[in-house]
Amino acid sequence: MKKLLILLCLLILSPKMITAHPHVFIESSVEIEFSDGVPHGVRFRWKFDDFFSRMMLLDFAGSVSGPLSAEQIERLRAGAFENLANFNYFSTILIDDSPLKIEVVEDFRADVAQRTLIYEFLVPLRQPGGSSSSRIDGMRELAIGSFDESFYSYMEFSEEPFSVQGIRPADITSELRKRPDYTYYFDLIVPELLHIKWNP
Amino acid sequence: MHKLNLLFLILFISIISMIRLSPAAYANPFTDGTGQQMTPRAGTENSSEAVDGTVFRRVSGIFPAQVQRSFNRQLSELMDGGTEAGFLTMFLIAAIALGYGMVHAALPGHRKTLLLAYFIGSDSRPRHAVIAGISTALLHSFAAAVVVLVAWFFLNVSITAAVGSTTVVIQRITALAAIAIGFVMLWPKIRLIKTPGDHHSSHAHDENCSCNRPPGRIARWVGQGRMLPAIVLSSTFPCPGSSMILLFALAVGNLAVGLLAISMFAFGMAITLVTVCLLAVTGKHHLFEHVGGRFGNVLHHGIEIVAAVAIILFGIFWMWSGPVY
């Protein structure tokens, strides 16, 4: 009885009530760009559900089929991607378990495959001291997550969530690991982070 | 002009005005709003807390989201058949949309919480819960249909912008209503606190017990469900899910399938919402049947005060926040 009452009060007073059930479903995968055994960027690939794809394409591209022109891609970027900067692009990147605030994304691409809209963008792994700083050179692990804390979108990694561009470090390993320290949406969703390890 | 025609004209102009009023306001994080960067909670990465909560979380969080994703995918595949949908396809679309709606409304959301707060804070009857659940779901989807169809056929504007700007306008209006309702519900409780004596401690509550209702005309008014329409009106903002489904149907050239899908989606949501509202009403009733005396009295009014305050806070939050869904 007491637990029920506490639960009711928490339900009513919880500040997280601003969130909503998911309206968009996204399948995510990542590609790490390596050069000389050093990662220089993480390229995210998001595949949207058909309903949301159609809405975004009609609203911002004016066409529901690909290939999209440079102008259409720019309209999608400006209208339906740029604002995600306020949400850290739904992306969490941990460099040796230290979170990276995503200041800039590059090389935004949009495409349509069958019915679905696909976004791709690159998060460069730069440090203030430049790309050759010791933090980048000496790193041994990247943990990458894709999730929308507002829960407007539900994101999951695809069946093949990880690939490498460039020379693949010989001893690189990856695993999906649940991270309760990033739990969101009324503490109900425990996201998975993709942990990628190698020897520098 | 006939009164009914005039009413429709006013309604139509109002809808167009709402859609046109704030074209810069959008309805999803891809286009609007500010978030926050997630910060990890210290010491929980490898804790057993995750293991302890796994079953509950899977049932109440991840599983419904995954089921919705599956329904979403199946529904879009069936609807993409265009105008050639046969009886079996239509039946499957209806069945999947119904299930999709039921699960869609099952996850926590702030307007559901507002309904719960209302039923916990007032002495409503089960019939009020049924009416509230059905009308909330239907209005939510109906609003989406109106906005999408008006934007598609009459205005040629972005559906995303139309849904967003309508949400903003309705949110501001219902914010005022929520604040007013909260105060109306709170006032009798405050009056009761000021009134000396305790008439609850001498007997148990039953169906006809007059003390189930706080004293005063306003309190009886609340108890009779007269404030319920204002709460339900908070759901007249367009449902983003229904908007996307209907727009998809329009794009593939089959409005009838789209209307069928969002109607069944709305019925699915109604089933869940009625269940939730009934649980609140009957749960509260049963709770105070078993908890009597001074403690029960204090608890009763304490919960109702918390619920009324929560409704006021919801209103204040909606007044100042961006669009919430």
Side-chain angles (χ1 to χ4, degrees), chain A residues 31 36 65 70-71 73 92 108 117-118 138 184:
Chain A
E31 183 181 69
D36 298 328
S65 56
E71 189 191 344
I73 293 171
T92 296
F108 173 79
L117 175 65
I118 291 168
Y184 63 101

Side-chain angles (χ1 to χ4, degrees), chain B residues 217-229:
Chain B
R217 200 172 57 179
I218 294 174
R220 281 199 298 277
W221 211 57
V222 173
Q224 288 162 2
R226 299 274 173 83
M227 299 299 288
L228 201 52

Side-chain angles (χ1 to χ4, degrees), chain B residues 105 115 119 126-140 228 232 235 266-278:
Chain B
L115 271 175
F119 286 120
R127 70 170 186 277
H128 297 143
V130 174
I131 292 165
I134 292 172
S135 46
T136 297
L138 295 186
L139 276 174
H140 195 33
L228 201 52
V232 170
S235 301
F267 279 123
M269 287 198 293
I271 290 169
T272 304
L273 289 176
V274 166
T275 308
V276 169
C277 294
L278 275 175

Side-chain angles (χ1 to χ4, degrees), chain A residues 27-34 39-45 125 139-146 156-177 193-198:
Chain A
E27 200 176 279
S28 171
S29 60
V30 294
E31 183 181 69
I32 314 294
E33 296 191 352
F34 275 95
H40 288 285
V42 179
R43 180 175 293 281
F44 286 86
R45 188 174 194 271
L125 297 177
M139 69 190 283
R140 291 184 298 273
E141 181 177 1
L142 270 175
I144 300 164
S146 292
E156 274 194 332
F157 278 114
S158 63
E159 285 181 7
E160 290 180 16
F162 163 63
S163 61
V164 168
Q165 193 190 57
I167 299 168
R168 186 185 179 98
D171 51 357
I172 193 166
T173 60
S174 69
E175 66 164 330
L176 282 170
R177 198 185 299 166
L193 262 59
L194 182 65
H195 286 254
I196 302 159
K197 286 185 177 179
W198 67 95

Side-chain angles (χ1 to χ4, degrees), chain B residues 53-307:
Chain B
T54 297
V55 175
F56 176 71
R57 279 175 175 150
R58 284 206 74 81
V59 170
S60 55
I62 294 172
F63 182 66
Q66 288 173 335
V67 170
Q68 282 192 76
R69 189 192 57 184
S70 173
F71 282 147
N72 179 293
R73 190 173 294 163
Q74 291 170 45
L75 197 57
S76 64
E77 281 172 6
L78 285 167
M79 289 175 66
D80 206 25
T83 54
E84 299 301 317
F87 175 77
L88 182 63
T89 307
M90 296 288 269
F91 176 77
L92 284 173
I93 287 171
I96 292 169
L98 182 78
Y100 190 6
M102 284 171 71
V103 185
H104 190 64
L107 288 172
H110 57 283
R111 283 177 178 86
K112 205 176 300 131
T113 314
L114 182 70
L115 271 175
L116 274 174
Y118 178 81
F119 286 120
I120 290 167
S122 66
D123 285 314
S124 299
R125 298 285 178 261
R127 70 170 186 277
H128 297 143
V130 174
I131 292 165
I134 292 172
S135 46
T136 297
L138 295 186
L139 276 174
H140 195 33
S141 274
F142 178 72
V146 170
V147 169
V148 169
L149 293 176
V150 168
W152 179 271
F153 288 111
F154 295 101
L155 296 180
N156 194 26
V157 297
S158 154
I159 302 292
T160 314
V163 169
S165 52
T166 309
T167 300
V168 169
V169 174
I170 291 172
Q171 190 174 304
R172 296 283 183 270
I173 295 167
T174 53
L176 284 172
I179 293 168
I181 291 166
F183 277 112
V184 167
M185 288 170 70
L186 191 60
W187 171 242
K189 316 296 171 199
I190 294 169
R191 244 189 66 187
L192 200 70
I193 291 168
K194 285 179 180 172
T195 308
D198 176 16
H199 65 284
H200 285 258
S201 54
S202 56
H203 65 277
H205 296 280
D206 57 41
E207 183 69 25
N208 301 314
C209 172
S210 64
C211 58
N212 266 340
R213 290 176 188 168
R217 200 172 57 179
I218 294 174
R220 281 199 298 277
W221 211 57
V222 173
Q224 288 162 2
R226 299 274 173 83
M227 299 299 288
L228 201 52
I231 291 285
V232 170
L233 277 177
S234 74
S235 301
T236 49
F237 77 103
C239 168
S242 298
S243 306
M244 288 181 212
I245 292 170
L246 190 57
L247 183 65
F248 186 90
L250 285 166
V252 298
N254 202 336
L255 175 61
V257 167
L259 291 174
L260 170 74
I262 66 163
S263 301
M264 296 309 290
F265 187 77
F267 279 123
M269 287 198 293
I271 290 169
T272 304
L273 289 176
V274 166
T275 308
V276 169
C277 294
L278 275 175
L279 279 174
V281 171
T282 54
K284 184 186 172 192
H285 181 75
H286 286 300
L287 173 69
F288 292 110
E289 260 185 358
H290 295 99
V291 183
R294 176 172 281 277
F295 174 70
N297 189 21
V298 170
L299 192 65
H300 191 164
H301 295 296
I303 285 177
E304 291 184 344
I305 287 168
V306 168

Side-chain angles (χ1 to χ4, degrees), chain A residues 120-167:
Chain A
E120 282 189 23
F121 59 95
L122 178 73
V123 177
L125 297 177
R126 289 195 193 111
Q127 297 302 311
S131 60
S132 61
S133 77
S134 59
R135 190 177 166 198
I136 288 288
D137 282 343
M139 69 190 283
R140 291 184 298 273
E141 181 177 1
L142 270 175
I144 300 164
S146 292
F147 46 89
D148 171 10
E149 196 198 354
S150 76
F151 210 43
Y152 188 88
S153 319
Y154 177 66
M155 305 178 78
E156 274 194 332
F157 278 114
S158 63
E159 285 181 7
E160 290 180 16
F162 163 63
S163 61
V164 168
Q165 193 190 57
I167 299 168

